[in-house]
Amino acid sequence: MNRGEALDSVKANVENKNLVKHMLATEAIMRALAKRFGENEEGWGLTGLLHDIDVELTEGDMNSHSKLGADLARELGASEAMAHAILAHNERHGVSCETKLDKALFCTDPLTGLIIAATLVRPDKKLAALEASSVKKKFKEKSFAAGASREQIALCSEIGLELDEFIELGLAAMKGIAADLGL
Ligand SMILES: [Fe+2]
């Protein structure tokens, strides 16, 4: 599977543009994390890109979400390691995050939401001038974008990243694809 095929498949299965953008943002951060750790950038990026491919197909059924996604990813040619990360990102299945890839996807998923919310409260609604310090401040405001689990984001410690560095890396990665995100 190449990236174009993966993205086509995401777009074929997910109509909601904001959800597609969430997957693109997750891909960008996963690529940056892989680069930071000397891991497989393509594999980590594709894992991020595909991780919610089943989100509309499963229609909010959290007991099937990510099980179907892992199967679809396998059909597209994803490795078992990638499929495992996709499966484990939904805690409902009781599949724990074991590998660095699993853990990276798990903590990246909610970080995209926090950064997008921090962008949308700006007067210009643009990522370009958003500073990491603002995102860090928003991280501490528990009621802000409460759906973006702070506990889950903070699990970046398990892959050896301080929270500050994770936020900086994530923000820079998303700025790199700001045009694709429309932000
Ligand atoms: Fe997600």
Side-chain angles (χ1 to χ4, degrees), residues 45-114:
L46 290 175
T47 305
L49 180 61
L50 292 170
H51 83 280
D52 277 338
I53 189 170
D54 67 356
V55 66
E56 289 181 355
L57 295 170
T58 52
E59 297 177 325
D61 175 8
M62 290 304 279
N63 290 319
S64 15
H65 171 54
S66 92
K67 266 190 184 159
L68 178 62
D71 287 341
L72 290 173
R74 277 190 202 97
E75 278 170 31
L76 286 164
S79 67
E80 266 317 298
M82 292 165 66
H84 189 273
I86 291 170
L87 183 63
H89 98 272
N90 179 5
E91 287 177 289
R92 191 72 68 94
H93 308 309
V95 175
S96 53
C97 289
E98 290 156 11
T99 66
K100 209 166 187 179
L101 174 59
D102 296 345
K103 291 171 185 172
L105 179 62
F106 194 72
C107 61
T108 295
D109 194 9
L111 179 62
T112 66
L114 179 67

Side-chain angles (χ1 to χ4, degrees), residues 158-170:
E158 296 207 358
I159 54 171
L161 276 188
E162 298 282 341
L163 180 64
D164 282 2
E165 187 186 354
F166 185 40
I167 288 173
E168 285 157 21
L169 175 152

Side-chain angles (χ1 to χ4, degrees), residues 86-179:
I86 291 170
L87 183 63
H89 98 272
N90 179 5
E91 287 177 289
R92 191 72 68 94
H93 308 309
V95 175
S96 53
C97 289
E98 290 156 11
T99 66
K100 209 166 187 179
L101 174 59
D102 296 345
K103 291 171 185 172
L105 179 62
F106 194 72
C107 61
T108 295
D109 194 9
L111 179 62
T112 66
L114 179 67
I115 292 175
I116 288 175
T119 306
L120 294 178
V121 293
R122 293 177 51 79
D124 66 1
K125 296 187 172 25
K126 292 287 177 201
L127 267 167
L130 177 63
E131 290 179 17
S133 57
S134 313
V135 181
K136 290 172 195 170
K137 221 178 276 171
K138 295 293 186 197
F139 179 94
K140 291 184 189 130
E141 277 174 39
K142 301 293 176 206
S143 60
F144 179 82
S149 165
R150 308 305 200 263
E151 267 175 43
Q152 197 170 330
I153 294 171
L155 287 175
C156 61
S157 61
E158 296 207 358
I159 54 171
L161 276 188
E162 298 282 341
L163 180 64
D164 282 2
E165 187 186 354
F166 185 40
I167 288 173
E168 285 157 21
L169 175 152
L171 178 60
M174 285 177 57
K175 283 183 180 182
I177 59 154

